[in-house]
Amino acid sequence: SSYSLDWISSFAISQRRDDIYNILSADLRQDSHYQKSDTQKLNTLDLHSMLSYYPAQNIQISLNDNYAERKTALDKNLIRNNDERYNLLQFNVDYAIRDNLQFSGIASHNYTIKDFSYDQNTRELENRSLSTKISWAYAEYDSLMLNLGIDLQQTYFPKNLHKWDNDLRVRSSALGWKHYYRDLIRIGNYVSYYIRDDVYIDSLLSSNNHVVQSISYMPNVDILLGDRL
């Protein structure tokens, strides 16, 4: 047996300075004109890294990490100054079980810190998700798809004594069917079901807790009219 291992990494740094102007309305003695109101500085940093592993021809395993920083600073309107840090770690598996049967799975963890000059709004968001998809081409022109997923999000307000902390959980499932008619028409039918739980940790905000369930049906038809349409 043979295997392959690939690694890709990149980064980007940028600095930007903008002058902000407001337009002043005209009066009887003077035309409308622009007046400088502030200066904004934006610094950004982006880092990306991806490791891909191929233990066999029909299996791909990859690990991605993306990190970003954004810092906004104004000379006068200081209350709008903010820092944002973001990191996304994602694990992917793609497996061709057979020529007509495909499996893919994604697990991810995302952490974001939004630091505002007004401390009450400073927040931290943590998101964890897991999803799977199975595609089965059971006939030459027919396919079935099944998607299952769960998403967990937690929001913290550390500088507000965690009074506004809340949790969000979304569970989803979807079933789809596709049919190709003479290579010119693709017919699709998709049924999705979602359950969303929104929970506030503080008892004073517990009245905002709620559960939402939804089901949707989405038919779709694609028609190929030519080589470019």
Side-chain angles (χ1 to χ4, degrees), residues 1-87:
S1 61
S2 62
Y3 65 90
S4 175
L5 189 67
D6 296 330
W7 180 59
I8 300 174
S9 184
S10 64
F11 75 94
I13 300 175
S14 68
Q15 293 181 328
R16 175 174 169 176
R17 181 186 179 95
D18 297 313
D19 292 330
I20 301 174
Y21 290 83
N22 292 330
I23 186 170
L24 302 180
S25 301
D27 54 31
L28 296 177
R29 294 172 297 177
Q30 189 177 16
D31 295 335
S32 300
H33 64 283
Y34 289 93
Q35 184 179 62
K36 183 179 178 180
S37 61
D38 211 338
T39 298
Q40 175 180 278
K41 299 175 184 177
L42 177 63
N43 297 325
T44 65
L45 168 66
D46 293 280
L47 302 173
H48 169 70
S49 184
M50 181 176 69
L51 181 66
S52 299
Y53 174 55
Y54 305 86
Q57 291 184 347
N58 60 334
I59 302 176
Q60 178 181 349
I61 301 172
S62 60
L63 183 66
N64 296 271
D65 187 67
N66 294 280
Y67 176 79
E69 286 186 8
R70 303 284 186 272
K71 183 175 182 179
T72 303
L74 292 94
D75 290 345
K76 298 179 180 179
N77 194 6
L78 302 181
I79 198 173
R80 292 183 57 194
N81 291 352
N82 65 87
D83 295 336
E84 182 174 347
R85 281 158 285 171
Y86 164 93
N87 191 83

Side-chain angles (χ1 to χ4, degrees), residues 141-142 178-187 222:
Y141 295 104
D142 297 274
K178 286 192 302 185
H179 172 73
Y180 290 86
Y181 180 72
R182 295 185 179 179
D183 297 328
L184 298 177
I185 299 176
R186 183 176 64 184
I187 302 172
D222 295 316

Side-chain angles (χ1 to χ4, degrees), residues 85-151:
R85 281 158 285 171
Y86 164 93
N87 191 83
L88 173 62
L89 182 65
Q90 186 168 289
F91 178 75
N92 298 64
V93 176
D94 293 295
Y95 178 30
I97 303 172
R98 297 173 58 183
D99 290 341
N100 64 339
L101 186 61
Q102 308 284 329
F103 169 84
S104 63
I106 301 175
S108 66
H109 180 269
N110 180 13
Y111 203 92
T112 303
I113 300 176
K114 296 185 177 182
D115 193 0
F116 295 91
S117 295
Y118 181 61
D119 289 345
Q120 299 292 318
N121 288 332
T122 295
R123 69 197 67 174
E124 300 177 11
L125 297 92
E126 184 175 13
N127 186 282
R128 290 162 289 176
S129 65
L130 177 65
S131 64
T132 60
K133 178 182 179 181
I134 297 177
S135 302
W136 177 35
Y138 62 91
E140 184 177 1
Y141 295 104
D142 297 274
S143 299
L144 285 173
M145 292 82 63
L146 176 63
N147 294 269
L148 299 173
I150 184 169
D151 187 273

Side-chain angles (χ1 to χ4, degrees), residues 188-200:
N189 290 276
Y190 305 91
V191 178
S192 302
Y193 178 60
Y194 296 89
I195 303 177
R196 172 184 170 131
D197 303 303
D198 207 342
V199 179
Y200 284 84

